[in-house]
């Protein structure tokens, strides 16, 4: 009835295909490799409960009152110290803005940086939530293909030469959806190119802490380059339900713009949960907690990989992530992942066909599998059923 | 350094003057009539703590996991039942979307409905947070002056006749900043005009429950008119720190658009706090709680009114709110509220000069006073100092 009143901005935004799948598959009998959900056994329920009681007792009304747009100073100080300790970054709490999950950071970046028609550069395949957030502001989205060690740097530089791109958006660690990780060489190359072309770098790191072995990789944006924006989140290591992410922004003008946009977007993020998270982080051994999650996910990942080796045909390829939550599968060229999805759904197994991860929306022969939210037994059973569907589809 | 990269959308957004004042006046010695903060003694700390422990015990991991964009079904059902009981509205939980405070609802409405240059209609003086959120999307903001009983209906109809306005935004109960309330006649007239011109009505009601005497007023949008959007919040009655508001949207297409925009904005609002709020609302006598807040605010309001009668000069006028949080003061025509602000600040009293409540940003002779966040003694002292400043300014 009111269709003619809908804005161009809204018309250029599609609902997320993944969330549609998730909603359609809430039934318990379904094996879901579709979402990007943490394993619920990883949530520190007891400790978060203790922290909640403690902050209400210690801070009373302050945890329930209106607060500052940039977020709780104590939590921002914790984050700044952590980045300084683990990454050697020279940052203070004033460089940090707390966001309502990293999704809000993506929306704010789109709002503050994109005018219709502006070029922005993303990875291909790229993170769906970023494509969705940015596409609202009608940029010319240029996708640069991912190689096994990161973005194709030659293609990136040719694009930078000709396009005056506003920013480059990357997920260098265990990327969503591909599970791929940038080599140190590509990280260095990327920073050099960003500086050479005076471009803004948006480095999104939801998964960096979930590296199965050894120390986390260094951030591309750990230098003092003013045009870097780093996005972090507590959704994968503590709880996604509280929706607490953060942005590290070096340039004062950019920071002010993002802060003003956030003020207009929701005044500030939930301060009650910011107090709880801060208390939890300062009163518990978070690195021990994270190492337990890593071991859990590594086992689940290995189970999925070995099941695929056992049951998938040789002409099906997949990535071997060093961490994070996803494996990326490439089917034989003539197989359409969407067809496979339809057949597999009948067997009560779901995954995400590759289509929404390409900005051109192609009908892809790729798919994303999540291993973090299913027990090992379930993973084996799901991969078995999936391989049966592949057989059925290919033998037709 | 990156100024040239900032989007038009961001350039059209100013930081909130009020939040700047709030930040500058966090010192304890300052008497602040500037904010719109609830009195912290009104927060049900003990009960919210009980609810938190209960939902963690009863629902475990679900309160910490990712969730649906539209919000917790149980909370939406509670809201739908409440609106049906108290206002006779025919709504179900499916008509309701939970937002990260009402501020997010305003941003989503701007995003989904405004194309640059579109006419939208607001009250004059109007709510600053709405002006800020809408202005991002570069509408032609048309402000219709408020009379003692609501918008000037003649001016409104002439505007509707000639403008093809996208929507009308109103705060009918104890409006922010004026404290004024719409008469039943104007409510009826407004609904008739909205339907006649096929316009969308955005009815924002943060304060309706805070009516000092008698039952709350009926909503303008309690009819079945598909083009109405009602905004509600728990910020003034339970806690603002959890940032939980809601939208009631009748039109399915509009609802889908808003939901998709919310998905891109923050995936969903904090689900942990949604569980807590829902548990709190269903296990406590909320109407008893609200009536205590009303009595508290009525006393504080009366104290401010009688102090102004005692200390202000006769040529200074002010509204007499029936509820809510604000009194609107009109100074003699030649007095500039901003000058008064500067003098009064020196006496450690702050308020909000009228300027930011006008879309033309005029240098106004009006100001907004908040009475909810100061004890009665403080109110008397603050009004005394304010009247001294007025004398100094006028006697120059």
């Amino acid at each position: 009835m009111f269709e003619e009143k809908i804005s161009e901005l809204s018309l250029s935004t599609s609902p997320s295909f993944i969330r549609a799948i998730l909603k359609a598959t809430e039934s318990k009998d379904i094996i879901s490799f579709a979402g990007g959900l943490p394993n619920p056994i990883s949530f520190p329920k007891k400790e978060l409960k203790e922290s909640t009681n403690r902050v209400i007792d210690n801070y009373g009304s302050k945890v329930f009152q209106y607060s500052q747009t940039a977020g709780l100073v104590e939590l921002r100080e914790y984050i700044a110290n952590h980045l300084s300790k683990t990454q050697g970054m020279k940052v203070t709490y004033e460089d940090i803005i707390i966001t309502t999950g990293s999704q809000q950071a993506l929306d704010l970046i789109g709002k503050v940086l994109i005018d219709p028609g502006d070029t922005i550069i993303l990875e291909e395949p790229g993170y769906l939530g970023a494509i969705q957030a940015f596409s609202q502001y009608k940029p010319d989205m240029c996708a640069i293909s991912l190689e096994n060690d990161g973005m194709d740097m030659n293609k990136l530089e040719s694009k930078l030469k000709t396009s005056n791109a506003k920013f480059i958006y990357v997920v260098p660690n265990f990327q969503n959806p591909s599970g791929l990780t940038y080599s140190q060489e590509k990280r260095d190359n990327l920073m050099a190119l960003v500086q050479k072309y005076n471009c803004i770098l948006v480095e999104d790191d939801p998964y960096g802490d979930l590296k199965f072995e050894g120390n986390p990789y260094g951030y591309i944006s750990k230098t003092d380059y003013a045009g870097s924006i780093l996005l972090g989140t507590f959704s994968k290591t503590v709880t996604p339900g509280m929706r607490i992410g953060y942005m590290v922004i070096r340039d004062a003008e950019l920071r002010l713009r993002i802060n003003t946009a956030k003020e207009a977007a929701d005044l500030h993020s939930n301060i009650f949960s910011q107090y709880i998270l801060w208390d939890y982080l300062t009163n518990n051994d978070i690195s021990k907690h994270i190492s337990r999650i890593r071991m859990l996910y590594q086992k689940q990942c290995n189970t999925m990989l070995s099941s695929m080796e056992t049951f998938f045909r040789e002409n099906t390829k997949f990535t071997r992530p060093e961490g994070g939550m996803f494996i990326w599968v490439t089917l034989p060229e003539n197989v359409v992942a969407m067809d496979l999805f339809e057949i597999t759904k009948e067997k009560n197994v779901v995954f995400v066909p590759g289509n929404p991860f390409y900005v051109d929306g192609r009908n892809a022969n790729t798919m994303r599998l999540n291993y973090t939210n299913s027990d090992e037994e379930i993973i084996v059973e799901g991969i078995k059923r999936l391989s049966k569907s592949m057989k059925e589809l290919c033998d037709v």
Side-chain angles (χ1 to χ4, degrees), chain A:
Chain A
M1 189 174 173
F2 294 94
E3 283 96 351
E4 83 284 356
K5 297 208 189 277
I6 304 298
S7 69
E8 288 287 327
L9 192 153
S10 173
L11 292 173
S12 67
T13 319
S14 313
S16 154
F17 181 63
I18 294 184
R19 293 188 71 80
I21 292 179
L22 288 180
K23 228 188 146 179
T25 59
E26 275 172 348
S27 136
K28 287 221 165 160
D29 297 335
I30 287 187
I31 297 178
S32 177
F33 301 145
L37 276 61
N39 197 318
I41 65 172
S42 74
F43 302 144
K45 288 192 281 287
K46 191 177 123 287
E47 294 80 0
L48 289 171
K49 189 174 161 184
E50 283 165 12
S51 288
T52 305
N53 286 301
R54 197 153 45 217
V55 299
I56 296 177
D57 291 345
N58 291 353
Y59 299 97
S61 299
K62 278 172 83 176
V63 308
F64 297 117
Q65 187 57 285
Y66 280 111
S67 186
Q68 275 184 46
T69 297
L72 184 67
V73 171
E74 289 87 340
L75 177 60
R76 290 153 66 205
E77 272 170 349
Y78 172 91
I79 295 166
N81 285 337
H82 181 75
L83 291 173
S84 141
K85 248 190 295 183
T86 58
Q87 297 269 343
M89 284 172 79
K90 283 182 212 122
V91 285
T92 73
Y93 81 92
E94 290 184 309
D95 299 315
I96 292 168
I97 295 177
I98 302 293
T99 56
T100 307
S102 280
Q103 186 65 38
Q104 182 177 51
L106 297 171
D107 185 36
L108 296 175
I109 287 168
K111 235 183 204 178
V112 166
L113 290 175
I114 301 173
D115 281 317
D118 280 351
T119 297
I120 64 168
I121 295 176
L122 293 88
E123 297 157 324
E124 178 171 281
Y127 173 49
L128 176 70
I131 295 174
Q132 193 195 25
F134 299 151
S135 72
Q136 301 177 100
Y137 304 99
K138 308 224 280 182
D140 177 14
M141 286 197 278
C142 171
I144 304 284
S145 51
L146 272 180
E147 301 175 311
N148 277 329
D149 59 348
M151 244 183 202
D152 182 323
M153 290 292 145
N154 294 326
K155 283 192 193 157
L156 175 61
E157 180 150 24
S158 350
K159 193 70 205 179
L160 285 171
K161 258 183 199 155
T162 56
S163 71
N164 194 23
K166 279 276 180 92
F167 63 82
I168 306 175
Y169 171 79
V170 294
V171 185
N173 297 320
F174 334 123
Q175 194 243 15
N176 180 356
S178 71
L180 293 169
T181 296
Y182 283 53
S183 65
Q184 189 56 51
E185 195 188 334
K186 287 232 167 148
R187 286 170 202 250
D188 295 341
N189 287 347
L190 182 54
M191 181 43 83
L193 286 177
V194 160
Q195 292 188 282
K196 179 171 172 190
Y197 292 96
N198 193 37
C199 192
I200 289 172
L201 174 72
V202 180
E203 180 175 19
D204 191 0
D205 187 45
Y207 314 111
D209 284 329
L210 303 179
K211 183 162 178 273
F212 298 148
E213 311 270 358
N215 291 325
Y217 286 107
Y219 287 136
I220 300 171
S221 52
K222 73 179 182 182
T223 69
D224 290 338
Y225 178 58
S228 70
I229 300 177
L230 174 68
L231 310 187
T233 177
F234 296 95
S235 289
K236 319 299 181 194
T237 49
V238 185
T239 160
M242 289 187 182
R243 316 294 308 116
I244 305 181
Y246 58 88
M247 308 176 76
V248 185
I249 312 171
R250 305 299 186 89
D251 184 76
E253 168 78 9
L254 273 181
R255 206 164 52 232
L256 178 68
R257 292 285 170 187
I258 294 277
N259 198 66
T260 302
K262 172 154 175 74
E263 184 181 284
D266 64 4
L267 285 184
H268 62 81
S269 297
N270 187 306
I271 190 72
F272 177 58
S273 290
Q274 289 183 60
Y275 269 102
I276 295 168
L277 177 64
W278 165 67
D279 182 278
Y280 168 76
L281 292 168
T282 48
N283 285 295
N284 291 277
D285 186 345
I286 177 74
S287 66
K288 205 164 145 193
H289 170 70
I290 291 175
S291 78
R292 276 193 298 262
I293 302 180
R294 284 199 303 235
M295 275 160 54
L296 176 71
Y297 290 175
Q298 184 172 30
K299 270 186 79 180
Q300 293 176 185
C301 179
N302 284 339
T303 300
M304 187 172 274
L305 287 170
S306 61
S307 301
M308 293 198 295
E309 275 160 16
T310 309
F311 299 111
F312 283 7
R313 293 182 179 190
E314 272 178 23
N315 54 6
T316 299
K317 297 195 169 59
F318 42 83
T319 58
R320 297 185 163 273
E322 292 176 58
M325 306 175 83
F326 304 106
I327 296 172
W328 185 245
V329 179
T330 305
L331 301 160
E333 265 186 34
N334 58 330
V335 180
V336 173
M338 202 62 212
D339 296 342
L340 185 63
F341 176 79
E342 292 299 335
I343 296 177
T344 314
K345 201 174 66 178
E346 295 302 309
K347 302 189 186 346
N348 283 340
V349 178
V350 292
F351 57 84
V352 186
N355 308 10
F357 302 105
Y358 299 94
V359 299
D360 60 10
R362 78 184 67 160
N363 213 356
N365 67 326
T366 48
M367 60 188 189
R368 188 189 78 175
L369 301 183
N370 166 268
Y371 50 79
T372 60
N373 195 28
S374 310
D375 299 338
E376 291 180 72
E377 205 181 326
I378 299 287
I379 290 175
V380 176
E381 177 59 29
I383 294 294
K384 262 191 207 169
R385 292 191 208 168
L386 189 49
S387 71
K388 256 188 214 159
S389 306
M390 284 182 191
K391 218 172 241 172
E392 288 172 32
L393 188 66
C394 297
D395 292 349
V396 166

